[in-house]
Amino acid sequence: MSKQHVVLAGSARPAKAGATRLRDAAPQDQVRVTLTLRGPVVTGDRIPVERSQDAEKTKAVLERCGLTVDEVRLEPGSIVASGPVSAMNAAFAANLGIYESPDQGEFRGREGELRIPAELDGIVTGVFGLDQRRMAQRSAVKGSGFHGSFTPDDLAKMYNFPAGQAEGQRIGIAEFEGFFTADDLQSFCDRHGLQVPQVEVVPLNLEPLSAQEFQQLSPQQQQDEIDAAGEVMMDVQIVAGLCQAAQISVYFATFDQQGWIEMIDRVVADRPVAVSISWSRAEDNPGWSGNAIDEISKRLEGATKKGVTVCVSSGDDGAGHQSADGRAHVGFPSASPYVLSVGGTMIDASGQEVAWWEAPGRRTDHGGGSSGGGVSVHFARPDYQQHIKVDSLNPDGIRGRVVPDVAALAGRPLYDLTFLGELRPNGGTSASTPLWASLIARINALLPPEKQQRFLTPLLYQGGANGTPLGRAACRDIAAGHDNASNPPAVGYPVQEGYDAVTGWGVPDGVALLKGLH
């Protein structure tokens, strides 16, 4: 061992089982690593002098080793660096190779212990990213529920939800059809070992059907109500599974323009911390009157001033949003600048989370669907999105509001749910939306009083101390998957690194978002 290097404690790794080393990694190939620094995560505003000194020293040593320091994260205590394989081998005695295994194919890997420059002994506690072996098998992300669907515990772990159950928070759920069944909520909670939360059914200008009224409907009407109730119970169970200690208000209103006004008026009055709305129509649907969109959006703006984050699904029909005229469309109220628009992802065959797209990219009787997203034709691009570079697919499109803002699981393997006494997995952006509402409530309960009850959306686009937008820092970027073409239109918005009009900033890292909002 060189006197200039010391063993990095805890870095030993055996060869991957069943893998064969094919060759040395090419010296010029680029590698990106994350180094962790000693000491706990900094939870306050002040960065200890020792943390800054450790970061400065580590940066200087890495640069002398021929590496580039790309990012210094003082709060958690980590440094991101990049450079060629040759420099990584020299800096960390890694002896990087290209391996092959039946379950992963070719990948970059290593064996044994790492060594670090002696100057960093006791400062650097880990070097991660040299070895690309898979540590999350399909079974690990498949979910532990019915047919592999994701349970509340799976979702909380997948998106790194912070501790707690949204104590003291009110969460609103908007419904325009269907009914609530306490028996299904009880069964769902029993199945997952959860406390049944307090759920308040709030009829506005729609009273959910009684059992007697339901029996008087025609068979087709009954089926329509059952389908709608399945959506209601999905919303309620997702929130209940993640926020057992919250008060859940389920608002019922008619599905006309009046119902929207009634709904948002009540939201403004009640001032929940978050509201989940899984309903929309294309913003340029001729059924909308211009003043309805304006008045609904005005009320949504009022909700933001009271610190309410209204979460709205971006839709399940890709760039076409329920329209088959060959043009791109976005939904309303998802397109309003006064909501948090939520898109969708899925888990692909390799276990990777990617943008949600299932042929033909829109909902049909035989399945399909994809994350709604695009550029508004009605709302100008708000101030907080001025730096977002997404153009409309329509040649005559304006520089409008871009949706979605964020995303979460919408497609396979779906959410583990109970309906009419049966296990019935379900999904869509109608599921990713209440998940985000739940996360906001969980986080709000943990924030200091002066940071609580804030409209989240513009905060996601603002830069932190290092200039990085909160959305980038607090979301896991989804840069893979099909575009959201819905045939028609045949072309969708691309999925790309950073913000895009399919999954927005990406899916949440709840703990990171909590830290960013502190």
Side-chain angles (χ1 to χ4, degrees):
M1 180 187 303
S2 167
K3 292 182 179 179
Q4 286 74 41
H5 282 73
V6 296
V7 171
L8 178 60
S11 64
R13 299 193 79 175
K16 177 179 168 66
T20 302
R21 185 177 175 115
L22 302 179
R23 58 188 180 275
D24 291 346
Q28 71 277 11
D29 284 356
Q30 291 294 305
V31 179
R32 186 175 173 89
V33 295
T34 300
L35 292 83
T36 54
L37 303 179
R38 66 183 172 186
V41 172
V42 178
T43 56
D45 294 332
R46 293 186 59 185
I47 303 297
V49 173
E50 295 79 5
R51 173 61 54 79
S52 297
Q53 291 173 340
D54 284 349
E56 290 172 5
K57 184 173 185 178
T58 303
K59 181 176 183 292
V61 172
L62 294 175
E63 289 174 345
R64 287 206 306 268
C65 292
L67 301 177
T68 299
V69 173
D70 302 311
E71 187 176 0
V72 176
R73 306 168 184 153
L74 291 178
E75 290 182 352
S78 36
I79 292 179
V80 178
S82 59
V85 165
S86 56
M88 293 290 176
N89 281 338
F92 307 119
N95 189 25
L96 297 175
I98 302 301
Y99 294 73
E100 184 177 43
S101 68
D103 65 326
Q104 191 172 345
E106 291 191 9
F107 64 96
R108 186 179 66 241
R110 68 174 185 84
E111 304 170 34
E113 295 176 316
L114 292 178
R115 301 173 187 174
I116 59 174
E119 294 170 85
L120 300 180
D121 188 20
I123 296 176
V124 169
T125 58
V127 180
F128 307 100
L130 296 167
D131 190 317
Q132 296 176 310
R133 75 182 78 180
R134 187 190 299 262
M135 293 302 296
Q137 298 292 340
R138 179 75 176 106
S139 58
V141 298
K142 185 178 180 181
S144 55
F146 184 63
H147 285 177
S149 53
F150 278 46
T151 67
D153 188 54
D154 295 330
L155 295 164
K157 291 177 180 176
M158 179 177 176
Y159 295 128
N160 199 21
F161 268 49
Q165 288 294 333
E167 292 81 358
Q169 307 302 303
R170 181 203 289 261
I171 304 170
I173 298 174
E175 304 294 355
F176 296 96
E177 286 182 290
F179 51 86
F180 167 79
T181 67
D183 289 345
D184 280 340
L185 179 59
Q186 181 72 57
S187 296
F188 171 82
C189 291
D190 289 347
R191 172 172 164 77
H192 298 291
L194 303 174
Q195 169 189 332
V196 179
Q198 179 183 353
V199 176
E200 174 190 26
V201 174
V202 185
L204 300 178
N205 65 338
L206 174 67
E207 186 77 39
L209 292 177
S210 66
Q212 183 178 5
E213 291 169 330
F214 178 79
Q215 293 300 326
Q216 294 173 350
L217 298 177
S218 69
Q220 184 58 54
Q221 290 173 322
Q222 288 185 357
Q223 187 59 53
D224 291 343
E225 282 293 320
I226 288 172
D227 291 343
E231 295 290 313
V232 172
M233 294 311 299
M234 175 171 68
D235 292 341
V236 172
Q237 289 175 29
I238 290 172
V239 174
L242 296 168
C243 297
Q244 300 163 53
Q247 177 182 337
I248 303 171
S249 296
V250 187
Y251 302 108
F252 283 91
T254 54
F255 51 53
D256 52 12
Q257 294 183 157
Q258 180 193 29
W260 283 102
I261 299 292
E262 293 289 312
M263 180 74 67
I264 306 304
D265 280 354
R266 182 59 180 261
V267 164
V268 171
D270 284 355
R271 200 187 177 212
V273 64
V275 179
S276 176
I277 302 179
S278 298
W279 304 73
S280 69
R281 295 299 296 270
E283 62 173 354
D284 50 355
N285 184 296
W288 286 116
S289 66
N291 63 343
I293 287 182
D294 291 342
E295 290 299 319
I296 294 165
S297 198
K298 180 172 72 176
R299 284 159 174 77
L300 290 167
E301 182 181 14
T304 70
K305 292 179 178 179
K306 297 188 74 170
V308 181
T309 299
V310 177
C311 306
V312 183
S313 61
S314 69
D316 297 350
D317 298 282
H321 201 85
Q322 305 170 1
S323 302
D325 59 3
R327 293 173 58 82
H329 301 267
V330 293
F332 178 78
S334 181
S336 169
Y338 306 116
V339 306
L340 180 74
S341 177
V342 184
T345 63
M346 67 180 189
I347 308 299
D348 70 11
S350 73
Q352 181 184 12
E353 191 170 13
V354 301
W356 176 40
W357 191 91
E358 297 178 63
R362 54 185 167 81
R363 291 170 294 176
T364 70
D365 292 339
H366 306 290
S370 64
S371 178
V375 180
S376 174
V377 300
H378 186 88
F379 297 98
R381 194 155 302 183
D383 289 344
Y384 59 78
Q385 279 193 329
Q386 287 302 310
H387 63 289
I388 296 298
K389 298 178 180 179
V390 176
D391 296 325
S392 174
L393 293 176
N394 300 319
D396 57 349
I398 68 169
R399 192 170 187 271
R401 151 83 153 128
V402 188
V403 299
D405 300 299
V406 292
L409 182 71
R412 60 179 181 263
L414 305 177
Y415 291 67
D416 193 80
L417 304 168
T418 300
F419 184 56
L420 300 182
E422 299 179 353
L423 301 178
R424 190 173 299 186
N426 203 350
T429 57
S430 295
S432 55
T433 301
L435 183 142
W436 263 95
S438 300
L439 177 60
I440 291 167
R442 264 235 212 157
I443 288 174
N444 199 66
L446 299 173
L447 289 172
E450 67 274 13
K451 297 294 183 70
Q452 291 181 346
Q453 201 79 30
R454 291 181 291 168
F455 175 44
L456 176 62
T457 304
L459 302 179
L460 294 172
Y461 295 85
Q462 295 177 7
N466 61 358
T468 301
L470 176 62
R472 180 184 287 273
C475 292
R476 177 161 47 84
D477 188 25
I478 301 296
H482 198 289
D483 64 32
N484 65 348
S486 54
N487 300 309
V491 178
Y493 290 89
V495 181
Q496 58 194 17
E497 291 188 5
Y499 179 92
D500 59 51
V502 183
T503 61
W505 289 112
V507 299
D509 178 335
V511 171
L513 182 55
L514 173 62
K515 291 178 182 176
L517 291 172
H518 257 277

